[in-house]
Amino acid sequence: MTTETEICVIGGGPAGAATALRLAQLGRQVCLLERAAFPRQHVGESLPPSIWPVLQLLGVDDLVAQAGFLRATGSVLHWGGGFERRGRNSTRPGLLVDRGRFDALLLQAAAAAGVQVPQPARAYRPVRHGDGWKIPVHSSAGHHAITAQILVDAAGRQAGLGRRFRPTSKPLLALYAYWQVPPGFGAQARVEAGRAHWYWGALLPGGVVNAMVFVDPATCTGLSPAARRDLYLNLLAQSTLLSPCLEQRRIGPVRRSDATSLTETTRPAPDLLRVGEAAFTVDPLSSQGVQLSMGQAVQAAVVLNTILNSPEKGDLALSFYADRQAERVQTHAALAAGFYAKQQAITPAPFWANRSTPLEPGRTAQPDLNPDELRSDQLVHLSPLTSLQVSGVQSATRIEAAPVLTHPNLPRPVACLEGTPLAPLLQRLEGRATVGQIRQRWSDMLGPEHAMRLVHWLWHHRILVPAGESDVIPVSSARRMT
Ligand SMILES: Cc1cc2nc3c(=O)[nH]c(=O)nc-3n(C[C@H](O)[C@H](O)[C@H](O)COP(=O)(O)OP(=O)(O)OC[C@H]3O[C@@H](n4cnc5c(N)ncnc54)[C@H](O)[C@@H]3O)c2cc1C
C-alpha cells in the first residue's frame, strides 16, 4: 500500500511537529511519521523564556501555558569560581517541562491543524523516486510506503537517515538519572562546574529531578553499565547543588546520551531539508536546543512554502536556510567556548582547556559596542566595514530577496529594525553628517523618536562612527554583493 502526500516529515519531536504544524497552517499537505508512541521520555526539559515567541507564532502558547508545566524561577550558576542567580524576576519565565507531554501537545496541535500523523510509524531509509521520495514505513498496519514531493528529516540526532555530521565541539557525554525531589529543591535550573566535568539539574513536573553529569566520553570507555552507574553516583556526590538527590529515591536507571555538538555537512536541497537535531546540535550548557529547533522549524516551513509556490526563488530560500543554520552553529560554539574558558581560568584540566576555543573559527559578532554618549552635534559617518547585500529575508509565508545590512559587529545580516527596512535609510546617509542632521533627514520617514532609536542602535554597534575615525565611505558606494 502506498500513500501520497506533498511533504513527509520524519520525526515528531519539537522540530518535526513545529515544521508540520506551520506547513499545515500555510495550507500544505503534510504527513508526519513518528516511531514512538507518545508520551515518551526525552532529555531537553529546561526551556528558556525565548521559547514563548515561537510558541506564540505557532498559536500554541496558551495550550502550553495551561498544560501545568513548571515556571522556572531563574537559574543557579556555580561556575568560574562564582555563584550567581539569574533571571529570578523575569516577567515571562522559562519552563521546566516533561518532554513526553510537551512533545505530545505539539504533535496534537499539528494533527488538529490537518497534519496526517500515523503513530507509531517508523520510517526506513527514504529513496529518491520519480520527482520525489519513497519512504518505507512500518506501523501497526504493517509495511507500507509513503511517496512525497518533499522530505523533511526531523528525526533527531540518532536516526540513520544518511546524514553526514561534522563535530563542532570536542566529544561530550551526559550521564543522568531521575530522582525524587529533595526537600527545598526549587524550580531553578542548576549548573555547576566540577573538576573535569559539569552538572545540570532541574526540578520537573511531578516532583522529579533530572540530575545530569557531563563528562568526556573517554572517561567511560570500557566501563560496564554498573561501573558507569558508579562513576555517575560518585561524581554526583561531589556536587554542591545536586548531591542532595542522593538522599532520595532514584527513579529508573542511570542513562547516557551523546551531547557532542554537530552540524550536518550536506547543503539543503529543494526536495530535502533537515530540521532540529537532524541538522545541528549545540552544547546543552545553553539549554537552547528546543527553542533553536523550533525556530529553525518555522523557517523550514517558510522555505518549503516558497519553493513550492515560487520554484525560481528556490536557491535564494535554500541559501537563507543554510546561512541561518551556520550562524546558529557558530554563535553557539563561540558562546559555549567562552563559558568553558571561564572555568578553565581557575581549573586548568584538559577537559576545560580542550573546550575553551571553538573547533572552527567562524564569523561571530564582535562584542565591540560603543558605550559613549551620543550628542546631537556629533559628526558621524558610516563605518567603511558596512555593506548592503541582497539576500533572502523571511516574511510570515515566504522568503523574498531584499537588501540587508552586514557589518562584522552584527551576528547576522539585518534587513529591518523595529519593522523598518534599513536600506533606504542608510542610502540617505551620504558622507558626514551630525546626529541632529540624520535625525532630521529620517524624521519624515519615521518620526523623530524612532529615528533617534535607530541612530543610537547604529552608534552602539559602531556602524555609525565618529567622523575622522576612518575614511568616509557612503553606503551607496560601499561593497555590494548579490
Ligand atoms: C543531554 C542533553 C541535554 C539537553 N538539555 C536541553 C535543555 O535543557 N533544553 C533544551 O532546550 N534542549 C536541551 N537539549 C537539546 C534537545 O534535547 C534537542 O534540541 C531537542 O530534543 C531537538 O528536538 P528534535 O525534534 O530535533 O529531536 P527529538 O526531540 O529527538 O525528536 C526526534 C523524533 O524523531 C523520532 N524518530 C527518530 N527516528 C525515526 C524514524 N526512523 N521514524 C520515525 N520517527 C523517528 C524520535 O522518536 C523522536 O521523537 C539537550 C540535549 C542533550 C543531549
Side-chain angles (χ1 to χ4, degrees):
M1 196 181 77
T2 300
T3 314
E4 263 184 56
T5 185
E6 190 177 37
I7 301 163
C8 176
V9 177
I10 303 179
T19 308
L21 169 58
R22 192 72 192 129
L23 281 166
Q25 289 168 342
L26 294 173
R28 313 291 354 169
Q29 188 198 16
V30 190
C31 174
L32 182 149
L33 303 169
E34 168 53 56
R35 69 180 172 191
F38 278 9
R40 51 97 179 88
Q41 183 273 333
H42 204 294
V43 292
E45 295 134 325
S46 161
L47 310 182
S50 48
I51 193 76
W52 288 109
V54 190
L55 297 175
Q56 203 169 1
L57 196 146
L58 291 167
V60 293
D61 51 329
D62 285 344
L63 220 59
V64 172
Q66 288 155 20
F69 299 129
L70 299 179
R71 306 287 157 138
T73 52
S75 53
V76 179
L77 240 87
H78 214 288
W79 199 275
F83 187 89
E84 213 184 312
R85 285 207 62 165
R86 286 188 179 175
R88 198 182 342 197
N89 301 318
S90 176
T91 44
R92 188 113 217 220
L95 290 172
L96 299 169
V97 302
D98 166 350
R99 277 288 301 279
R101 282 207 295 123
F102 180 79
D103 291 11
L105 201 140
L106 292 181
L107 200 50
Q108 281 157 14
V115 176
Q116 210 189 328
V117 186
Q119 186 186 12
R122 175 188 283 267
Y124 290 89
R125 192 157 180 166
V127 285
R128 281 210 156 80
H129 171 78
D131 286 341
W133 292 91
K134 186 167 186 174
I135 303 112
V137 183
H138 184 70
S139 69
S140 57
H143 288 283
H144 52 111
I146 298 214
T147 57
Q149 211 175 317
I150 292 178
L151 179 68
V152 175
D153 173 5
R157 70 162 71 207
Q158 275 162 24
L161 294 172
R163 309 197 193 120
R164 273 182 246 144
F165 280 122
R166 180 180 78 229
T168 54
S169 76
K170 291 284 184 188
L172 192 65
L173 181 75
L175 302 175
Y176 66 101
Y178 293 90
W179 300 84
Q180 217 168 28
V181 58
F185 199 100
Q188 314 96 10
R190 296 162 184 232
V191 179
E192 177 182 346
R195 204 173 25 81
H197 56 274
W198 59 274
Y199 305 92
W200 176 93
L203 174 62
L204 301 175
V208 291
V209 169
N210 184 353
M212 293 190 162
V213 188
F214 289 83
V215 297
D216 188 321
T219 325
C220 296
T221 309
L223 293 189
S224 66
R228 205 166 48 231
R229 178 202 59 209
D230 290 347
L231 172 71
Y232 166 78
L233 296 175
N234 278 327
L235 292 175
L236 201 60
Q238 296 167 28
S239 161
T240 308
L241 299 177
L242 298 180
S243 55
C245 289
L246 292 168
E247 306 292 325
Q248 306 300 315
R249 187 169 63 87
R250 176 154 56 87
I251 305 162
V254 174
R255 307 165 197 243
R256 63 184 160 157
S257 170
D258 179 30
T260 310
S261 304
L262 305 166
T263 185
E264 235 284 328
T265 53
T266 43
R267 293 275 299 173
D271 63 351
L272 171 62
L273 285 194
R274 300 190 197 274
V275 188
E277 289 215 320
F280 72 101
T281 62
V282 298
D283 196 304
L285 253 178
S286 70
S287 289
Q288 300 251 342
V290 171
Q291 179 241 312
L292 291 172
S293 294
M294 292 181 69
Q296 189 185 37
V298 171
Q299 288 176 345
V302 174
V303 164
L304 293 180
N305 196 44
T306 305
I307 290 170
L308 286 163
N309 285 339
S310 320
E312 73 286 357
K313 293 191 178 144
D315 285 347
L316 181 83
L318 292 172
S319 297
F320 168 87
Y321 193 72
D323 290 350
R324 299 296 82 78
Q325 177 165 320
E327 283 158 16
R328 287 183 179 99
V329 168
Q330 288 174 5
T331 305
H332 280 268
L335 276 175
F339 228 72
Y340 285 110
K342 222 169 154 189
Q343 182 64 23
Q344 194 230 343
I346 60 158
T347 317
F351 177 84
W352 303 106
N354 289 341
R355 290 168 174 76
S356 58
T357 42
L359 280 191
E360 308 164 17
R363 197 184 70 84
T364 51
Q366 309 295 312
D368 186 19
L369 301 180
N370 192 345
D372 295 344
E373 282 301 308
L374 191 55
R375 298 186 326 269
S376 71
D377 62 351
Q378 171 75 53
L379 200 57
V380 293
H381 62 76
L382 283 170
S383 147
L385 303 173
T386 309
S387 78
L388 284 177
Q389 304 180 3
V390 174
S391 181
V393 172
Q394 182 186 356
S395 74
T397 58
R398 57 178 181 248
I399 306 296
E400 291 287 3
V404 294
L405 165 68
T406 70
H407 188 280
N409 286 354
L410 297 174
R412 66 189 64 85
V414 179
C416 293
L417 262 188
E418 297 185 28
T420 304
L422 283 175
L425 297 174
L426 297 182
Q427 280 158 346
R428 290 173 83 174
L429 281 186
E430 295 288 333
R432 297 183 172 88
T434 65
V435 167
Q437 286 166 336
I438 297 173
R439 183 181 50 191
Q440 209 159 26
R441 252 183 245 173
W442 287 358
S443 288
D444 56 330
M445 294 164 84
L446 304 175
E449 279 176 22
H450 190 172
M452 265 324 272
R453 282 202 302 278
L454 296 195
V455 171
H456 271 285
W457 185 86
L458 292 169
W459 171 259
H460 190 54
H461 287 86
R462 294 190 194 275
I463 295 167
L464 272 181
V465 294
E469 189 170 274
S470 47
D471 290 336
V472 181
I473 298 195
V475 76
S476 49
S477 59
R479 186 164 52 97
R480 278 166 197 263
M481 291 167 63
T482 51

